[in-house]
Amino acid sequence: MNEEDLNEALHDVIVRSSPPPSMDPAHALEQARRARKRRRATWAGLAVVPLVVGVTAGPALFTNYTGHRSVGQMVAGGPGTPSAFPPSASASQPVSTVAPTTAPKTRKTGDPWPEGQADRTASAGPRADRAVKLMNDLTSSLPPGFTSPDLKYPGGGPMRWPQSQYASSDGEPDYWEYSASIPVQKDNRVGKLLVLSTTPNGKPATDPCTLAKGFWGGTGTCDLVDVGGKKVGVLTAKGRGSYDQWAAYRYDDGTVVYFAQAKKSDRTERSPLTQPVFTARQLAELATSPKFKIST
């Protein structure tokens, strides 16, 4: 590798190490609470280390790297086993500057968002459709006497919203969060419900109450509820946070479902409900309902 090739490779690293696009600002309050627990310090700059070491160690070591993996693969972390260059072309093979179009199996700084997305949120396509179905299934689960009208927040935004979000942080395997929130009205009083289904994320299983306490850092009293042999954690909050009570269940395949309720809907002046929409057992039963499980 000559000096011109080396400069071109380092320029490629700088371009690919730029920060990813910002998240969709919609529903920022709801997402911020999840993000506060999930986001970790990014590994920005780690992808540059192998190249810096290669420069320090000399052209021979750097050529050894490029002989087995393109600079683009080293930085972007493309999926699959890297292909070797033909021996006769190792010195003349052009450095790829085309970013992969799909996310790798493990997220790295600088990777493109999956499936052509502009940010974490899937605003169209099958994943967005799954979130809409989740919202419709949530609405159809309301008990008699409760409705979910198409209400608006004071700023004009809808109180009914679905969301599909690519949830992986750097160093984590690919996984997704599908969520739906709806207002619940009775006698001109308004509360809210939320269901969140997370695809398997490779994290180890925990006991149901530990899982429940992981819902946006919730604190309160947790009880185990048995639903046909399935152990569900139902946490009753201490009066802080956006939700009063929620159920948490983890399937054997790693899919996690949270089902939450609140008598008061935030960002609105409407009077809160006088009673919870569901009992603790009903919350547990809903968290284990197959219609709220989304594993892909």
Side-chain angles (χ1 to χ4, degrees):
M1 171 174 283
N2 56 34
E3 182 178 354
E4 182 178 352
D5 293 331
L6 180 58
N7 289 336
E8 185 176 323
L10 290 176
H11 174 73
D12 186 59
V13 171
I14 295 172
V15 172
R16 291 176 180 274
S17 299
S18 60
S22 61
M23 291 181 60
D24 185 346
H27 321 306
L29 180 61
E30 300 283 1
Q31 294 188 61
R33 295 191 179 102
R34 286 203 300 270
R36 185 171 53 198
K37 284 192 60 64
R38 188 180 63 245
R39 301 290 188 270
R40 300 181 178 87
T42 61
W43 297 352
L46 288 181
V48 183
V49 172
L51 291 176
V52 175
V53 172
V55 173
T56 305
L61 179 58
F62 192 86
T63 303
N64 181 58
Y65 274 104
T66 58
H68 293 281
R69 178 180 293 187
S70 71
V71 174
Q73 287 173 319
M74 290 173 65
V75 176
T81 304
S83 58
F85 293 143
S88 61
S90 60
S92 60
Q93 180 75 20
V95 176
S96 173
T97 58
V98 179
T101 57
T102 58
K105 294 185 180 300
T106 300
R107 181 77 188 171
K108 293 183 180 178
T109 299
D111 285 338
W113 300 114
E115 303 173 20
Q117 294 174 199
D119 53 31
R120 288 188 176 273
T121 303
S123 56
R127 296 192 185 277
D129 293 342
R130 290 171 196 165
V132 172
K133 183 179 184 302
L134 191 69
M135 183 178 69
N136 293 335
D137 288 338
L138 178 60
T139 304
S140 66
S141 301
L142 289 174
F146 293 91
T147 61
S148 181
D150 188 19
L151 302 177
K152 307 290 184 182
Y153 287 114
M159 295 175 68
R160 290 173 53 84
W161 56 266
Q163 182 168 285
S164 171
Q165 176 176 276
Y166 178 73
S168 302
S169 296
D170 287 357
E172 293 183 337
D174 288 356
Y175 72 100
W176 290 77
E177 288 180 350
Y178 300 91
S179 60
S181 179
I182 63 173
V184 181
Q185 181 171 302
K186 183 177 183 181
D187 300 331
N188 205 34
R189 293 174 174 269
V190 178
K192 64 178 179 178
L193 295 175
L194 177 138
V195 62
L196 173 68
S197 184
T198 302
T199 65
N201 57 18
K203 297 177 182 179
T206 61
D207 67 86
C209 280
T210 299
L211 183 67
K213 292 176 181 178
F215 178 73
W216 295 350
T219 58
T221 303
C222 183
D223 296 308
L224 282 178
V225 178
D226 187 296
V227 180
K230 299 175 181 178
K231 304 299 183 182
V232 183
V234 178
L235 190 144
T236 302
K238 292 181 177 179
R240 296 181 178 180
S242 298
Y243 293 93
D244 305 324
Q245 193 175 45
W246 57 85
Y249 179 68
R250 184 185 190 276
Y251 287 85
D252 290 339
D253 68 355
T255 302
V256 172
V257 176
Y258 292 100
F259 200 108
Q261 66 178 351
K263 291 186 289 184
K264 178 177 175 58
S265 180
D266 55 3
R267 292 179 287 164
T268 179
E269 298 303 319
R270 292 176 178 267
S271 300
L273 299 172
T274 58
Q275 66 183 85
V277 180
F278 298 107
T279 65
R281 168 158 288 279
Q282 288 172 331
L283 283 179
E285 292 170 349
L286 287 163
T288 59
S289 173
K291 65 183 177 181
F292 297 126
K293 180 189 179 188
I294 308 179
S295 301
T296 58

